[in-house]
Amino acid sequence: MMKSAIKSARWLIGLVWFGWVLTLAPTTTTALTPAQAGFQTYTNARFGYRIAYPADFTPQGESDNGDGQVFTGGDDAELRVWGGYNVLGETPASALREELRRCAENRRQITYRTVGRGFFVVSGYESDGTRIFYLRKIVRPSLQVGFEFVYPVNNRARYDREVGVIANSLRLPSRQAGFR
């Protein structure tokens, strides 16, 4: 009975939290302003996407193949960003199913998931319950870009606000650039 109540409470908190994040969503596809207080902008040269990251995070350098980068905070928080070609022809729904399978393998507790036109989101707790994860991926026929933000539960007040800025800042190159 107690486990069921805790599970329901976590699900409700995740749902309310994500609803709050959605209220931050821009109504147009405006560019991220470089002056976003407390954030820097990372632009990936290989895939052309860009994303905001907390200004006090340290970039760890692009991966050898140039698909993305990791940014670390001083408190065990980590932001991973990446891009890649959609060689398997995934849709947002099929990409979400694959991510849910990976979460189950890693014993992550999912408190929120959604799929929309061109994207999906999954969020919850790491298996030990000490860290929260939030993953968002944009899926196009030829390209996928995404990020995963993992942060300590004890710094939730700060990072729950920041994940909304990060999620809303993720932008793909224009369709005119050859990426559909």
Side-chain angles (χ1 to χ4, degrees):
M1 179 79 167
M2 184 65 161
K3 282 186 177 182
S4 176
I6 291 171
K7 187 175 180 180
S8 294
R10 284 183 174 168
W11 181 84
L12 183 58
I13 289 168
L15 187 59
V16 169
W17 174 76
F18 186 75
W20 174 81
V21 169
L22 285 180
T23 64
L24 299 175
T27 56
T28 63
T29 56
T30 57
L32 173 71
T33 58
Q36 178 77 44
F39 288 86
Q40 300 279 339
T41 301
Y42 165 70
T43 301
N44 180 270
R46 181 174 179 195
F47 293 106
Y49 66 88
R50 68 176 179 232
I51 191 166
Y53 66 93
D56 62 337
F57 275 42
T58 304
Q60 301 301 303
E62 283 200 336
S63 61
D64 290 342
N65 72 2
D67 69 346
Q69 188 161 178
V70 175
F71 303 85
T72 57
D75 59 355
D76 200 30
E78 184 176 89
L79 174 65
R80 293 181 174 275
V81 301
W82 65 88
Y85 297 109
N86 190 356
V87 296
L88 299 177
E90 289 185 307
T91 65
S94 67
L96 173 61
R97 283 191 300 274
E98 180 60 22
E99 189 57 43
L100 293 174
R101 185 193 63 73
R102 279 193 292 273
C103 286
E105 273 182 10
N106 293 313
R107 296 190 173 132
R108 285 179 153 180
Q109 180 186 0
I110 299 187
T111 58
Y112 183 80
R113 64 180 163 201
T114 192
V115 63
R117 186 172 172 224
F119 76 97
F120 77 84
V121 173
V122 63
S123 182
Y125 295 91
E126 294 288 0
S127 61
D128 65 2
T130 63
R131 297 187 339 145
I132 296 169
F133 73 93
Y134 181 97
L135 185 140
R136 178 181 173 96
K137 189 185 272 190
I138 297 173
V139 181
R140 286 194 180 159
S142 63
L143 184 68
Q144 295 186 29
V145 299
F147 76 89
E148 182 175 62
F149 192 34
V150 180
Y151 52 94
V153 170
N154 62 351
N155 284 347
R156 184 177 195 158
R158 171 190 173 176
Y159 292 127
D160 280 358
R161 289 188 306 269
E162 291 184 358
V163 76
V165 173
I166 295 166
N168 290 323
S169 74
L170 182 61
R171 296 285 184 267
L172 288 168
S174 70
R175 294 182 191 273
Q176 294 81 8
F179 294 104
R180 297 182 313 127

